[in-house]
Amino acid sequence: MKSKIIYLCGAILLSLTSFSQSISSSPYSLYGVGSVYESDFGILPSIGSSGMALPSDTFINNLNPASLGFTSLNHFMFDIGGRAIATTYQSSSRSEKRNNFQFSHLAFAFPVTKNSGFSLALRPYSSGAFKISNLKLPIENSQEYYYLTAVGSGGLNNFDFSYGYRFGKKLSVGLSGSVLFGSTADERNFLIQNTLTTVTKKTSYNGLRATLGAQYKIDSTFTIAPVIKLPAQVKASKVQSVEVIADEVITTVQSNVASDVDDYYMPLEIGVGFSKRFKNNLNMTLDYEKSFWNGTNQSELYGNFVNQDRFALGFTYRAKKDFRKYWDRVQYAMGANFDNGYLEVDGKRVNNAAFSIGLSLPIENTLTTLNISYSYGQKGRIADDLIKENYHKLSLNLSLDGIWFVKRKIE
């Protein structure tokens, strides 16, 4: 029965892929290029999205390209993931529930030499899908308010190619290049007294970004890993139409006018991760990351970008009592993360906190693992201009590991 799990999960993940265009419905997708998407491979969703210091020996670690220096020789790894999210949105006056299914990632990795590895991955970077009705917002430098109704779709995709090289048995370094591309489309209605302004636009984006990483094994149980994501410029252009209705008179201000818009800037991000193993069956991971959004010198009509701090902690446990017993080979995991947000609306931070648990289930007679995780989190807060999100997330990642170019010893 267990051997059939891989086929069932493969079918589920392929079905989730078809929903990839409805990645998010968060109202915070209204800002910039949308809500930044957390797309973690393997067991990472179960351990609070921590793991910068973990090697890519049993799964593809997308948090640090240096992990590829520890890819096992003759092993070809393939990872695909999806998730389902149930979210409750709460404001000071109402609440609403929404469910959606999301494609997470598609990636593969393989060794280049006995000391190096290479990977390719396709995943969403951000989601610009949102729906907002009659949101009351203040007019800048005024005591008056206006009402916003908006609907959006689309987002940015991230195509990564990474390489990691290991020097000896302790030090590995890596480099990732990311191609960012995609578009967002939205319609926004601004109601000020008796005047309704409708702005419809489609914005296209493209850009490049580099990530540098390293992993150093202090000893056989302790690893430290710094990661630097370099700042990048994402170029943007738009096609826009503007229509104004006042006193039942419709005025077309713009009709499908193409123009360049202010580019979107991604910040310098510096992180460090630790991995510590205890008694060979308990492992702890701890990550910290600082994102310097203030340095991008950009702002939004509804808020500002501010520097972000992110913390993530995770634990994994495997009994390893009897390798012949299935449940002794299962890996149990739990984790938590917190960030104080990169958006500030009316002086209030949009922070996020989550807790997760999960299992890594080996597929019998293979090196393949099914990673299942559940997490609960909260984002934002209830205030005049903010909405609180309470979400339940079920993630499903299938990490396939095959051995290539090895001759059989017994026919």
Side-chain angles (χ1 to χ4, degrees):
M1 182 66 181
K2 297 187 186 77
S3 61
K4 296 181 180 179
I5 294 178
I6 185 173
Y7 300 108
L8 175 62
C9 296
I12 294 174
L13 289 171
L14 287 175
S15 67
L16 287 175
T17 304
S18 65
F19 291 89
S20 60
Q21 293 303 314
S22 104
I23 290 175
S24 170
S25 56
S26 170
Y28 296 112
S29 298
L30 182 72
Y31 296 86
V33 295
S35 295
V36 176
Y37 190 82
E38 292 183 2
S39 180
D40 297 320
F41 302 177
I43 197 174
L44 298 180
S46 300
I47 54 176
S49 299
S50 61
M52 291 181 185
L54 295 178
S56 287
D57 53 355
T58 59
F59 75 100
I60 305 172
N61 183 355
N62 61 293
L63 298 181
N64 189 344
S67 64
L68 293 166
F70 295 96
T71 304
S72 301
L73 193 63
N74 298 121
H75 283 245
F76 179 91
M77 292 185 289
F78 177 82
D79 209 296
I80 184 171
R83 57 192 187 176
I85 300 180
T87 308
T88 300
Y89 301 94
Q90 294 177 289
S91 68
S92 56
S93 59
R94 56 189 256 185
S95 103
E96 181 178 340
K97 294 183 178 180
R98 297 179 191 172
N99 303 321
N100 60 67
F101 300 92
Q102 307 176 351
F103 166 68
S104 174
H105 63 274
L106 181 68
F108 67 88
F110 54 87
V112 178
T113 67
K114 66 178 182 180
N115 291 335
S116 65
F118 179 80
S119 73
L120 290 173
L122 178 64
R123 54 194 173 94
Y125 170 77
S126 68
S127 169
F130 59 87
K131 185 178 181 180
I132 298 174
S133 299
N134 295 321
L135 178 63
K136 185 179 179 181
L137 294 169
I139 299 176
E140 189 174 359
N141 300 322
S142 171
Q143 299 297 320
E144 302 293 327
Y145 287 83
Y146 68 94
Y147 293 87
L148 170 69
T149 297
V151 59
S153 62
L156 266 65
N157 300 300
N158 194 343
F159 180 68
D160 293 330
F161 47 95
S162 305
Y163 177 77
Y165 186 87
R166 175 167 49 87
F167 298 90
K169 296 182 178 181
K170 291 191 173 185
L171 175 64
S172 179
V173 297
L175 169 68
S176 285
S178 299
V179 180
L180 295 156
F181 62 96
S183 63
T184 59
D186 65 72
E187 178 179 300
R188 306 186 187 190
N189 297 304
F190 304 88
L191 178 62
I192 304 176
Q193 296 181 351
N194 295 321
T195 300
L196 177 66
T197 302
T198 299
V199 179
T200 304
K201 66 178 178 179
K202 180 178 181 180
T203 309
S204 299
Y205 300 90
N206 66 85
L208 299 172
R209 194 185 197 188
T211 299
L212 306 173
Q215 289 184 344
Y216 182 75
K217 291 189 175 183
I218 304 298
D219 55 39
S220 60
T221 66
F222 185 53
T223 302
I224 183 172
V227 176
I228 299 176
K229 296 179 182 178
L230 300 180
Q233 180 180 1
V234 180
K235 295 186 178 297
S237 60
K238 71 176 180 181
V239 176
Q240 178 173 285
S241 298
V242 180
E243 186 178 82
V244 178
I245 302 177
D247 298 325
E248 299 184 354
V249 177
I250 301 175
T251 303
T252 300
V253 180
Q254 290 183 337
S255 179
N256 294 322
V257 176
S259 64
D260 292 331
V261 297
D262 291 339
D263 295 336
Y264 179 75
Y265 293 89
M266 302 175 68
L268 171 67
E269 298 181 55
I270 299 176
V272 61
F274 305 90
S275 175
K276 174 64 178 178
R277 189 172 71 252
F278 304 92
K279 296 183 179 180
N280 293 323
N281 55 2
L282 176 65
N283 196 83
M284 181 188 74
T285 51
L286 175 64
D287 291 357
Y288 168 74
E289 187 174 47
K290 179 82 171 183
S291 302
F292 295 91
W293 286 95
N294 273 348
T296 63
N297 296 318
Q298 58 188 345
S299 62
E300 271 287 323
L301 176 62
Y302 317 108
N304 299 304
F305 291 92
V306 292
N307 291 344
Q308 179 187 38
D309 297 285
R310 181 180 181 276
F311 304 86
L313 174 68
F315 296 91
T316 58
Y317 175 82
R318 181 183 282 119
K320 288 187 177 180
K321 294 178 181 178
D322 187 346
F323 194 74
R324 293 170 296 179
K325 294 181 179 179
Y326 181 81
W327 290 104
D328 282 356
R329 290 184 282 125
V330 172
Q331 185 170 241
Y332 305 88
M334 65 181 297
N337 62 64
F338 170 81
D339 69 75
N340 57 1
Y342 62 92
L343 287 174
E344 186 176 77
V345 181
D346 196 21
K348 304 178 184 68
R349 302 290 288 258
V350 182
N351 54 26
N352 179 73
F355 168 79
S356 59
I357 56 174
L359 294 172
S360 290
L361 302 173
I363 307 300
E364 295 223 65
N365 302 318
T366 71
L367 297 175
T368 297
T369 302
L370 171 66
N371 299 286
I372 302 174
S373 72
Y374 162 80
S375 61
Y376 170 75
Q378 295 183 348
K379 181 178 181 180
R381 67 180 75 181
I382 298 176
D384 291 339
D385 304 323
L386 291 179
I387 294 173
K388 183 178 180 180
E389 300 179 15
N390 296 278
Y391 57 87
H392 301 268
K393 179 170 62 178
L394 181 66
S395 299
L396 195 65
N397 292 345
L398 191 62
S399 300
L400 294 95
D401 188 347
I403 299 178
W404 286 20
F405 310 118
V406 176
K407 293 182 179 180
R408 293 184 180 179
K409 294 184 179 179
I410 300 176
E411 295 294 339

